[in-house]
């Protein structure tokens, strides 16, 4: 009797695999109407074709009949990024008849290719020659001079990690997360992303460890400390000549006005955090991956955000969902070799915009 039950279960599962393969082979995601395609994948069909063309040389090429075609793997991953559906749901809806294991493999492969192969092309911090155009846009829109971008961190939920590393990912709101640092320009183009620290890490700690902080310090030193370009950060960041923060206890009219214009100029990073989580809703739900794989998924989504913007896909207001902005307040500034110079720069900006 036991062997008959096992045999029947084997036959049932085998029939399910055959049916899923038949449905998969008959599927063509690109037959959807334009509006439906964009709602499911957050890409136009033309832009999706370009993404597939750019990724295909880096994707695994199989020989077996059961091999999942590269376009279907990429579309499956896009659907997961876009909807935030659990992987079992992604593989059982009308867009992709794939097993849960294959959905997981597709998401991991696509994320890895986006991070390792496309990220260096699509996420680049501007050179000094590119500063002027960015500064002009910020100044025209907000009146704040010298701004080359805004920086902030946002928390992305992940599943509970292994016990030996759990404390590194438990944030101050008592859930497990990655604390992701993003930098953007006024048009919400991502200029830098850092998704490797756990939720227990402070924004300032992540900034101090970032490659862009080291790059800006190096540029400041190489220019003989004659500097007129900076990022904008909130009170969770250290005041430096290359990153301007608000006055902690603004009392004078000039300081209050400075903080008001600073907040207006820095609002772009808050809009970015809200927009990217609204368009790619996997970032709103818990990522049921290891911390390392979750970081890869987050980096992949950042690449897709810039890819969309680079191909003229406007922000999707129909997907906008309010995102709570939570400022990570930092302890009072410790004496630093650059602090006095940064204070002088901030005071000079305060006077110029008063």
């Amino acid at each position: 009797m036991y062997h008959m039950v096992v045999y029947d279960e084997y036959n049932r599962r085998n029939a399910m695999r055959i049916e899923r393969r038949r449905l998969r082979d008959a599927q063509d995601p690109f037959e959807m109407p334009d509006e439906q395609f964009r709602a499911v994948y957050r890409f136009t069909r033309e832009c999706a074709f370009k993404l597939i063309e750019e990724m295909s040389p880096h994707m695994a090429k199989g020989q077996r009949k059961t091999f999942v075609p590269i376009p279907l793997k990429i579309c499956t991953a896009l659907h997961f990024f876009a909807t935030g559906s659990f992987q079992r749901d992604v593989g059982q809806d009308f867009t992709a008849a794939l097993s849960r294991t294959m959905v997981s493999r597709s998401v991991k492969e696509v994320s890895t290719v986006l991070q390792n192969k496309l990220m260096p092309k699509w996420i680049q911090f501007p050179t000094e020659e590119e500063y002027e155009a960015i500064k002009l846009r910020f100044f025209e829109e907000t009146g704040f001079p010298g701004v080359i971008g805004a920086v902030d961190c946002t928390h992305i939920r992940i599943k509970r990690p292994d016990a030996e590393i759990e404390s590194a990912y438990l944030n101050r709101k008592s859930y497990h997360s990655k604390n992701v640092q993003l930098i953007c320009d006024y048009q919400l183009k991502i200029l830098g992303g850092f998704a490797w620290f756990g939720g227990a890490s402070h924004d300032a700690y992540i900034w101090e460890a970032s490659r862009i902080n080291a790059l800006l310090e190096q540029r400041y030193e190489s220019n003989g400390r004659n500097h007129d370009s900076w990022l904008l950060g909130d009170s969770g960041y250290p005041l430096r000549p290359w990153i301007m923060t608000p006055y902690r206890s603004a009392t004078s009219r000039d300081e209050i006005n400075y903080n008001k214009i600073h907040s207006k100029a820095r609002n772009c990073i808050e809009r970015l955090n809200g927009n990217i989580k609204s368009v790619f809703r996997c970032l709103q739900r818990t990522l049921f991956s290891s911390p390392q794989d979750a970081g890869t998924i987050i980096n992949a989504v950042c690449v897709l955000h810039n890819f969309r913007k680079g191909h003229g896909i406007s922000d999707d207001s129909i997907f906008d969902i309010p995102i709570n902005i939570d400022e990570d307040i930092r302890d009072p500034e410790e004496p630093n070799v650059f602090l006095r110079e940064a204070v002088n720069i901030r005071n000079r900006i305060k006077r110029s915009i008063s």
Side-chain angles (χ1 to χ4, degrees), residues 281-301:
R281 296 193 180 184
C282 67
L283 301 185
Q284 288 192 30
R285 303 180 71 165
T286 302
L287 292 175
F288 288 91
S289 307
S290 67
Q292 181 176 352
D293 288 345
T296 302
I297 290 173
I298 295 165
N299 284 336
V301 166

Side-chain angles (χ1 to χ4, degrees), residues 24 44 69 93 154 158 185 227 284 298 316 332 343:
R24 185 197 73 200
T44 62
D93 69 9
T154 185
I158 63 171
D185 63 15
H227 196 57
Q284 288 192 30
I298 295 165
D316 298 280
V343 168

Side-chain angles (χ1 to χ4, degrees), residues 131-150:
Y131 281 178
E132 293 306 317
I134 300 174
K135 290 193 290 185
L136 180 61
R137 182 61 185 270
F138 268 101
F139 186 75
E140 289 177 342
E141 297 290 343
T142 68
F144 202 106
V147 183
I148 56 173

Side-chain angles (χ1 to χ4, degrees), residues 65-107:
K65 291 182 179 180
T66 58
F67 180 73
V68 178
I70 289 175
L72 184 56
K73 287 198 287 188
I74 293 176
C75 286
T76 298
L78 290 180
H79 185 37
F80 172 74
F81 298 145
T83 64
S85 298
F86 292 106
Q87 292 172 356
R88 181 179 295 276
D89 298 329
V90 172
Q92 291 183 352
D93 69 9
F94 68 95
T95 63
L98 300 177
S99 67
R100 181 174 184 176
T101 300
M102 185 51 65
V103 171
S104 180
R105 289 176 181 173
S106 297
V107 170

Side-chain angles (χ1 to χ4, degrees), residues 235-294:
S235 298
Y237 289 85
L239 178 64
R240 297 289 182 268
W242 51 90
I243 179 168
M244 292 290 107
T245 61
Y247 288 93
R248 283 179 175 271
S249 301
T251 54
S252 70
R253 185 181 64 181
D254 289 348
E255 291 177 351
I256 294 173
N257 184 59
Y258 168 94
N259 281 3
K260 181 179 179 181
I261 298 178
H262 182 283
S263 176
K264 181 180 179 181
R266 202 184 67 83
N267 178 259
C268 60
I269 191 65
E270 298 178 354
R271 288 188 288 119
L272 170 66
N273 287 335
N275 178 265
I276 198 170
K277 290 180 180 180
S278 299
V279 175
F280 298 103
R281 296 193 180 184
C282 67
L283 301 185
Q284 288 192 30
R285 303 180 71 165
T286 302
L287 292 175
F288 288 91
S289 307
S290 67
Q292 181 176 352
D293 288 345

Side-chain angles (χ1 to χ4, degrees), residues 18 53 69 134 157 208 221 265 329:
I18 294 172
E53 182 180 4
I134 300 174
R157 288 179 181 267
E208 294 288 357
E221 293 278 23
I329 303 299

